[in-house]
Amino acid sequence: MVDDTLGSFQSRHIGPDRAARDEMLRAIGVASVDELIAQTIPSGIRLRTPLDFPEAETEAAYLRRLAQIAARNVPARCYIGMGYYDCVTPSVILRNVFENPGWYTPYTPYQAEIAQGRLESLLNFQTVVKDLTSMDIATASLLDEGTAAAEAMTMFHRLQTRRAPAGQESVFLVSERCFPQTIDVLRGRAEPLRIRLEIGDPATLPMDKAFGLLLQYPDDHGEAGDLRPVIERAHAAGLLVAVASDLMALTLLTPPGEMGADAVVGNSQRFGVPLGYGGPHAAFFATRESYVRQAPGRIIGISVDARGRQAYRMALQTREQHIRREKATSNICTAQALLANIAAMYAVFHGPAGLRAIAERIHSLATSLEAALVSLGYRQSNGAYFDTLWIEGADIAAVGTAANAARIDFRRANNAIGISLDETTSVEDVQEIVEVFARAQGRGGTAIIKADAPFRLNAPPTLTRTSKYLTHPVFNSHHSETKMMRYIRSLERRDVGLDTSMIPLGSCTMKLNAASEMLPVTWPLFSRIHPFAPSDRSEGYRQIFTELERSLCTITGLDAVSLQPNSGAQGEFAGLMTIRAYHRDRGQPERDIVLIPASAHGTNPASASMAGLKVVVVACDSNGYIVLDDLRAKAEQHKQTLSSLMVTYPSTYGVFEEDIKEICRVVHDNGGQVYMDGANMNAQVGLTSPAQIGADVCHLNLHKTFAIPHGGGGPGMGPIAVAKHLAPYLPGHPVVKVGGTKAIPAIAAGPWGSSSILLISYGYIRMLGASGMTEATRYAILNANYLKARLQGHYDVLYANHNGRVAHEMIFDLRPFKHGTGPSVDEQDVAKRLMDYGFHAPTVSFPVAGTMMIEPTESESKDELDRFCDALIAIRKEIQEIVDGHADPADNVLKNAPHTAEEVTADNWTHPYSRQQAAYPLPYLRGHKVWPAVARIDNPYGDRNLICACPPIDAYEEVGAK
């Protein structure tokens, strides 16, 4: 029952109150929520006891307690580097983007007409990456630097014409000077694809049998060397070359693209994105234009709308992984759009001159530090560098003791000390570093050099950047806070997020991202911790991780958790790799068949392919259920080689499989493991569990069920929970000890993935408690079945159980309007028309083409649900007018949707329907009107004329004129 206690988080999170609940139950035709749940979830899998959690906390009490936990994180001056650097998030960006629900609550921009702001910002990000790397094209962000490097490796593997002899492994070369976390992620991605890594000095690595090479620039020690000779040698041998690099360094150093790189990857974190103990941060990926159709992730491009005006949209949409399934280029589903937008805004705010000034200051402090340390008798071994010194000849223990006393963290490796400076480093910080090294020698410090000489890059001319970057006006126009604030808000107003209206996307769970869950993410004691800081500096984080892991074990009924996977698709891969390691450890490496229902999300087969598994599809019947006889036959056919079953529960069709326990038993009887895709855990928590149905491993989309916001396309988190026998194989990490006793390689660059946003799910669990989370599940199911009841007779629901109930989502069939005898209306027409009614469209054409998948979540109130239903019912009447011949079959409100303010207020109006019918079809719109920024976008035009970076100003007019 909803807790109406004043101040309870549960009453704030769950939308319907008691009176609304009773009205909804009457509409559904049941007497109570209990009765509805009994008709929805099979009794054989229901939990019999409540979840065991501490009492729910009020928001105020939670924030007070969390502040005490945060105090256990000890602030220190950190110079560890290794791809993670402290930075300054400009306040105008922190307040107006990072902490703004207008930016963090929107979904992936599938409906581009109401996502123009995010799309423009992501195009800016692509331009930043393209310019600084000097490559042809860039994508709209990846998960982290390690996985971006792995994507480059697998892209090269697909591209290379040279194939390894039958039965032999392919070879990928890796510089030993790459970051260790990147190398470990590569190990995990390479092995199942029969790629052998050879790691060593690039100058001596044999290139005769390899297909590709990864270099780091500046490298793991901070040295920046001329890559041209090794790249030329690699190209001569037929290899493709990827370079992991640093965007801030590339404002001063010759970019890899000018040295001949085929791909450049890295992390944009130091462009204003907090450390956050490892994430989330937006990785970048840039490559040659000829490889664009093989590039991983999303690319934002420019097209035109129905009125010929420029419009942004996701380019090459047929590359989306849920369409390509096991033939996908990767399993990427969630990227890091929010963090990419922060990095893009950082570049817009500072501009090319500002970025160069920041970089010059960092480098000047590094050269001053070098001079001071050399004067003390230390050796600095990097010839050319940007921000990192590699100090040799020091007494490591003595320096460590002095550094700890001063609360300073250096990197210690190979009898050397690494010191990486950053944007936050001051002259006083550098003096303090010098004093630490002096005390290690038992003497006083030496004053650092404060020369007034013009800036000089400590690198040869061949490594000095001469090419221009960020010349587009957007990077040269918004440097005052007033202009920057107005630019950010102008983009925000072109988008629809949860701050505008409900987003009923099926399978995406666009629920409330509560402010009290979000606030701590930017607290300095959480946001400024380096992921490789000593454990005694991060005890607050460790406490939260321990409690969160225990909570997720309780919710799933499983025994151990890895928090490392930093997206749902990464969780899928991690779960399958854990199962793979288990079979191999038991002497059964031949188990490589994975059974996947036809209804599964497309990332399932893509992840299976990445894990080296062979996909066998299991049939589903007309009600959306797995065909048990087909499952039995295929499980028995592949008994000797069966690895696992991947099953989403409740199913992607929005129903609870009645035979789920038997399904799991069949797989177990034939030697396989059961992987449960946790995308739909919002219909499980507190009522059933993965362990209850018989699963061995599941991933949990924390950006769905557990309230991490989608951020316009990311961040996401996909931890995995496993049964006891799989716990030894949970992912490890080469720098920080995590994972099982027989750990598989790292899945992500950070030990705990995107650590800082785990705070959000931790808060969700602690403020709702056992009862609140269970009620959230019950109300998610109530809201979905209420929508079904209200829309019944207007739209057909494709799948329901034998009681006519759906889980937390449902699929409406629009195919009869397209394939009937009259004029054609399809799901895209309905999606676009919903914008005129102020709503983001549901999920269209997934998992069944020609349908809409709707998930209301528990957070939406009855009046919002009713507005949405009113809109869909009105649209159904508009469809009927077309079918009956009362509306023009081509020139009607659906085919012309969405309608912009510019169109409705134009002098000329040639449509046979009125302006009011176009813009204000229902009364509520008079007080709450969302105007799409552009008319319907021409996707094929954008793919034929691919532009995926900020074009010159004159090109804007040219695009609009075509």
Side-chain angles (χ1 to χ4, degrees), residues 252-314:
L252 303 179
L253 296 174
T254 301
E258 294 177 15
M259 297 184 184
D262 300 293
V264 185
V265 302
N267 187 349
S268 65
Q269 176 264 318
R270 69 191 312 171
F271 274 35
V273 180
L275 283 165
Y277 206 39
H281 308 138
F284 63 84
F285 188 103
T287 189
R288 299 183 185 276
E289 188 170 3
S290 56
Y291 303 155
V292 66
R293 293 185 181 275
Q294 291 290 328
R298 300 180 177 117
I299 298 176
I300 307 308
I302 296 175
S303 186
V304 295
D305 71 2
R307 296 172 62 82
R309 300 298 179 89
Q310 176 182 282
Y312 305 103
R313 32 79 78 178
M314 288 200 297

Side-chain angles (χ1 to χ4, degrees), residues 575-576 579 583 593-598 600 604 608 613 616-619 626 628 631-632 634-635 642-649 657 659-668 671-677 693-698:
L576 293 174
I579 291 171
H583 286 314
I593 296 294
V594 58
L595 304 178
I596 300 181
N604 283 186
L613 301 173
V616 174
V617 177
V618 178
I626 291 173
L628 196 52
L631 174 75
R632 286 196 186 98
K634 287 171 178 170
L642 182 61
S643 163
S644 50
L645 165 75
M646 296 186 80
V647 61
T648 302
Y649 200 73
E657 296 273 356
D659 297 320
I660 189 62
K661 282 194 166 184
E662 176 63 13
I663 288 167
C664 294
R665 187 192 65 76
V666 167
V667 174
H668 288 146
Q673 296 286 288
V674 175
Y675 169 91
M676 195 206 84
D677 184 318
I693 70 170
D696 302 288
V697 55
C698 74

